[in-house]
Amino acid sequence: MQLRGKLTAGPVGHVVRTPRAVVPRVALSTASQASRHVSRRHLLFLSTLSAAGHHANANAAYVEEVQEVKQEQPGPTQPSTSGAPEQNQYVNPPTYLTTTGRVVAVGDLHGDWAKAIEAFKVAGCIRVKDDNEIVWIGGDTIVVQLGDVLDRGDNEIAIVRLLRALDAEARNHGGAVYMLNGNHESLNICGDFRYVTPGAFMESAAFAGLDEREFKDWELLARVRYAVYKPGGPMAMELSKNPTVLVINDTAFAHGGLLPVHVAYGLEKLNSEVASWMRADRSGESGTAAPPFLAMGDAQSVMWNRTYSKERYPSPHERFHACNSLKQALGRINAKRLVVGHTPQLGGANCECDGGVWRIDVGMSYGVLNRPVQVLEIVKDLVSNESTVRIISNESQLSVDLEEAASVDL
């Protein structure tokens, strides 16, 4: 998924052809319920999105016949849907990185384009020029977006493309932008569209080449979205590039949480298995790779875990066990802290367990709490080898030295 031309501060899209799909009932019912008012402004955006690449008339007949087209033209942005892609067509996401530059973490964005732009501006990583061109000014900064770009907002694909374009610009200066996979990415790949907005259904339809006149056919929109996001589909292939867990220097990043059992299983193995599932890689006699349970299977998985995210633990006993679990998990990977999203913090971004975990989902997107943007900055002193962590907000700045974190009442 490549962005050509200059990067501008408005949602952009890319068109691919999509195969016919068998859509789960939840997708069809969600789409039919989504027929409430959508702004004219968003429809105008979708019309430009649809024209932003090789336009295809994705009506019902097209959806039926495009399978053959996809088989004839497999590629990184148009993966074959006749089976799984070649095993080495996509590289597995990274797990362990080191850097001498600063690291910035951005929480859940949930399809909110304006908050995505604002988060990067607050972090000091971009500047928006008078003509709306976006310029990377973050130098060698590494940005980690903690997942949940999808659902609850209208501009999901646009934000994924923004993150990819910023990553390309950042790498020219020694930096990078990473997106993690969260539970809402996994929900969409599973075909669970209960949190998808009408605008996001339209965005994925425009991405697939549907004409605006076809947006009233909600069953077609659901089928097309399923084709776009199902394992092996173009957006699933794109999301397969994302880590589920990322460790940079002495800081671990995960959407929901990181338990000792996850570390014992192997973080690289978890990342690889999530990527294989999203790509629909071949897996022995069973057909294609199964969704990895430890990564996204239940409330204890990496993507769904909330063990470390309670702003007020019910008892000192529960807090002790949570912090002890965190200590064990971090100790096994030689990390000093974990940064998570997933659970909106009503009091704003904060830390717990003596600075061992930082919770930075502040519900900033308009589909959640529409709260002020806050991001986390981690700067490592190359002389002392110690890190300073601070929360940066568009309202104020809070600097918390890790040596004092134990005394901070959050």
Side-chain angles (χ1 to χ4, degrees), residues 247-252 326 330-331 333-338 353-358 380 384-387 402:
V247 182
I248 303 178
N249 296 335
D250 56 2
T251 303
L326 174 66
L330 293 178
I333 56 175
N334 296 318
K336 294 183 178 179
R337 68 196 65 84
L338 171 67
C353 300
D354 300 333
V357 60
W358 291 80
K380 188 173 184 178
S384 66
N385 210 34
E386 294 296 322
S387 296
L402 285 186

Side-chain angles (χ1 to χ4, degrees), residues 26-93:
V26 64
L28 294 176
S29 62
T30 304
S32 64
Q33 293 168 6
S35 57
R36 59 185 183 269
H37 175 73
V38 179
S39 69
R40 179 63 184 167
R41 178 181 178 185
H42 193 67
L43 289 175
L44 289 172
F45 151 64
L46 290 170
S47 66
T48 59
L49 175 66
S50 182
H54 305 289
H55 178 73
N57 180 24
N59 53 28
Y62 158 73
V63 175
E64 291 178 350
E65 70 184 18
V66 73
Q67 176 87 19
E68 181 178 348
V69 176
K70 296 282 287 181
Q71 291 176 355
E72 293 175 354
Q73 298 180 340
T77 58
Q78 299 187 41
S80 171
T81 57
S82 60
E86 294 298 324
Q87 290 285 356
N88 294 324
Q89 187 176 350
Y90 285 77
V91 177
N92 284 333

Side-chain angles (χ1 to χ4, degrees), residues 10-247:
V12 291
H14 181 70
V15 178
V16 296
R17 296 178 181 268
T18 57
R20 183 172 182 78
V22 177
V23 186
R25 288 183 182 177
V26 64
L28 294 176
S29 62
T30 304
S32 64
Q33 293 168 6
S35 57
R36 59 185 183 269
H37 175 73
V38 179
S39 69
R40 179 63 184 167
R41 178 181 178 185
H42 193 67
L43 289 175
L44 289 172
F45 151 64
L46 290 170
S47 66
T48 59
L49 175 66
S50 182
H54 305 289
H55 178 73
N57 180 24
N59 53 28
Y62 158 73
V63 175
E64 291 178 350
E65 70 184 18
V66 73
Q67 176 87 19
E68 181 178 348
V69 176
K70 296 282 287 181
Q71 291 176 355
E72 293 175 354
Q73 298 180 340
T77 58
Q78 299 187 41
S80 171
T81 57
S82 60
E86 294 298 324
Q87 290 285 356
N88 294 324
Q89 187 176 350
Y90 285 77
V91 177
N92 284 333
T95 303
Y96 294 96
L97 300 171
T98 59
T99 182
T100 57
R102 70 177 187 138
V103 179
V104 169
V106 176
D108 305 29
L109 293 172
H110 283 300
D112 191 328
W113 174 267
K115 289 294 176 68
I117 294 294
E118 188 176 355
F120 277 87
K121 290 173 66 177
V122 168
C125 290
I126 65 170
R127 177 170 57 88
V128 180
K129 298 170 66 175
D130 291 340
D131 61 356
N132 283 334
E133 181 180 359
I134 298 172
V135 180
W136 177 263
I137 59 171
D140 62 355
T141 299
I142 293 181
V143 178
V144 181
Q145 195 283 321
L146 286 161
D148 276 10
V149 166
L150 303 187
D151 288 339
R152 304 188 189 278
D154 296 340
N155 299 135
E156 308 163 317
I157 296 173
I159 293 176
V160 173
R161 290 176 54 78
L162 170 70
L163 297 177
R164 298 300 193 241
L166 290 177
D167 178 58
E169 291 296 321
R171 289 179 185 274
N172 292 331
H173 303 277
V177 176
Y178 293 95
M179 172 187 167
L180 302 188
N181 284 317
N183 60 304
H184 283 269
E185 279 71 44
S186 69
L187 281 174
N188 278 267
I189 293 175
C190 288
D192 187 335
F193 301 152
R194 77 184 86 171
Y195 302 105
V196 180
T197 66
F201 272 111
M202 293 179 185
E203 185 194 46
S204 56
F207 175 91
L210 266 70
D211 187 87
E212 181 182 326
R213 292 168 295 182
E214 299 170 296
F215 288 174
K216 293 182 180 180
D217 186 342
W218 290 98
E219 181 173 344
L220 177 60
L221 294 190
R223 290 186 182 280
V224 169
R225 185 176 178 91
Y226 182 74
V228 167
Y229 279 98
K230 73 171 186 174
M235 280 305 298
M237 298 294 283
E238 187 64 31
L239 296 175
S240 75
K241 302 173 185 177
N242 299 340
T244 298
V245 181
L246 186 62
V247 182

